[in-house]
Amino acid sequence: MTEFAELQAPTASKESVRSHWEAETCGVRPAATLAADRAAFFAEIEHVRYQLDWMIPQFAKFSEAHGKRVLEVGIGAGTDFMGWVRAGAEAHGIDLTDAAIRLVGERLAMEGANAQIARGDAENLEYPNGYFDIYYSWGVLHHTPNTERAISEAWRVLKPGGQLKIMLYHYPSVSAGLVWLAQGLAKGKLVSPRSLYAANVESPGTRLFTRREGRELISAFSQDSVEIRTHLGSGDLLDFPLSGRYQGRTWQTLQKIYPSRLIKLLVGDRFGTVMTIAARKQ
Ligand SMILES: C[S@@+](CC[C@H](N)C(=O)[O-])C[C@H]1O[C@@H](n2cnc3c(N)ncnc32)[C@H](O)[C@@H]1O
């Protein structure tokens, strides 16, 4: 087994990934207290998302999708998906969970908008070859057990010249270091940061990719067109409500005193968790 395969072997079943995200749709936590007022709830989800993940609009370039056929994989709470819809794209969205499809269905109905959404699996797309102009997926494909297969499905459903735009978690990163300190070293466990990430961050089996591994994943795409960037994200800066797993007093104190400005200044985007990858199918 190569070093890449050893480090990257999937460690969780798709069913365990699905049940994790059925329990809490990604991105709704900061708006939980507003759940009774649906317009305020969705507005808050959107506000917080683009405050934290400020790089999304410039990466996705929603307005350029007008009139194009877009597939978003792993729509979650649907904020980016609404970006494609509002831009006038022919938007198709899938997610592994019923919870996401229900939520985005509600959101589309509230805006009187029309789009195709359905439960679906990134690793087995139910679309013909060469169907889409844009394939977009933010923060999803590191959760599916076989990321490689999902990327080959993305390639298959894109038209020649079609664009791939994805975000995967990057390694090495500040967040991987934090997880290693908290879940490994502090507990006397000498385990690799990647294994600890898989066991302790978001759904079971979360994977991390180096830039080189990111490039390998998309080797079937036109190599001249590849753009890979890394950014510090909320997992590196601890600037978002932590999940139930990280609610102890130590974490709350750490979040209060966390030197995020210093991290931005001294560490910078090179060790950020957010890795955007854009490429074209030849
Ligand atoms: C971290 S959330 C990201 C959601 C959204 N893209 C966002 O940025 O807020 C991960 C989402 O990917 C979905 N997901 C995970 N594996 C998937 C798969 N194989 N196919 C489709 N969706 C998947 C989950 O159900 C979940 O909604």
Side-chain angles (χ1 to χ4, degrees):
M1 212 189 252
T2 63
E3 184 198 18
F4 177 69
E6 262 164 9
L7 290 169
Q8 291 292 299
T11 56
S13 70
K14 204 171 293 161
E15 186 47 34
S16 67
V17 173
R18 191 186 70 77
S19 63
H20 174 93
W21 296 112
E22 286 289 10
E24 187 188 64
T25 304
C26 196
V28 303
R29 201 179 309 138
T33 55
L34 299 170
D37 177 343
R38 303 308 278 170
F41 174 68
F42 288 123
E44 182 65 6
I45 289 175
E46 188 154 337
H47 170 71
V48 173
R49 178 173 187 78
Y50 295 137
Q51 208 173 35
L52 297 180
D53 289 326
W54 51 267
M55 68 297 282
I56 290 178
Q58 46 189 264
F59 175 66
K61 299 194 175 84
F62 297 112
S63 59
E64 290 181 11
H66 181 84
K68 300 206 167 133
R69 191 179 282 153
V70 178
L71 174 63
E72 180 171 339
V73 169
I75 51 181
T79 304
D80 297 348
F81 190 70
M82 295 312 294
W84 303 117
V85 173
R86 290 174 195 148
E90 181 192 316
H92 298 247
I94 62 160
D95 198 282
L96 210 49
T97 65
D98 286 322
I101 299 308
R102 256 196 319 271
L103 205 61
V104 180
E106 181 188 351
R107 219 163 161 175
L108 285 165
M110 277 177 70
E111 295 200 19
N114 217 343
Q116 307 294 317
I117 54 170
R119 271 241 350 235
D121 178 4
E123 295 179 28
N124 298 289
L125 296 176
E126 293 180 8
Y127 301 97
N129 298 350
Y131 195 62
F132 291 102
D133 298 295
I134 298 174
Y135 174 107
Y136 175 82
S137 186
W138 185 272
V140 174
L141 303 183
H142 44 241
H143 293 305
T144 201
N146 194 338
T147 310
E148 294 75 3
R149 186 177 159 92
I151 300 281
S152 77
E153 279 290 86
W155 189 90
R156 183 183 67 74
V157 300
L158 274 170
K159 295 177 182 171
Q163 287 181 297
L164 174 88
K165 294 180 184 213
I166 60 173
M167 188 281 273
L168 297 175
Y169 285 163
H170 171 242
Y171 181 83
S173 64
V174 175
S175 76
L178 288 174
V179 170
W180 182 76
L181 284 174
Q183 305 287 1
L185 200 64
K187 297 182 178 172
K189 286 192 230 161
L190 280 184
V191 183
S192 77
R194 286 172 146 179
S195 310
L196 290 165
Y197 220 85
N200 294 288
V201 178
E202 301 181 334
S203 51
T206 302
R207 299 172 70 183
L208 298 171
F209 296 88
T210 64
R211 277 176 167 259
R212 186 172 63 81
E213 290 161 357
R215 198 170 259 278
E216 270 174 35
L217 277 174
I218 51 154
S219 56
F221 288 77
S222 158
Q223 290 301 295
D224 298 346
S225 68
V226 173
E227 277 180 40
I228 301 184
R229 299 214 169 100
T230 57
H231 301 278
L232 289 168
S234 29
D236 307 305
L237 300 170
L238 299 188
D239 53 2
F240 64 111
L242 298 176
S243 73
R245 223 184 268 170
Y246 295 94
Q247 284 303 319
R249 201 133 40 117
T250 319
W251 279 101
Q252 301 206 336
T253 312
L254 177 65
Q255 197 173 23
K256 276 198 195 113
I257 60 163
Y258 192 69
S260 52
R261 282 200 188 163
L262 210 61
I263 303 267
K264 280 186 198 162
L265 204 68
L266 297 183
V267 181
D269 286 330
R270 193 161 158 233
F271 294 105
T273 303
V274 173
M275 177 161 68
T276 57
I277 303 181
R280 241 173 230 289
K281 179 173 173 176
Q282 0 214 356

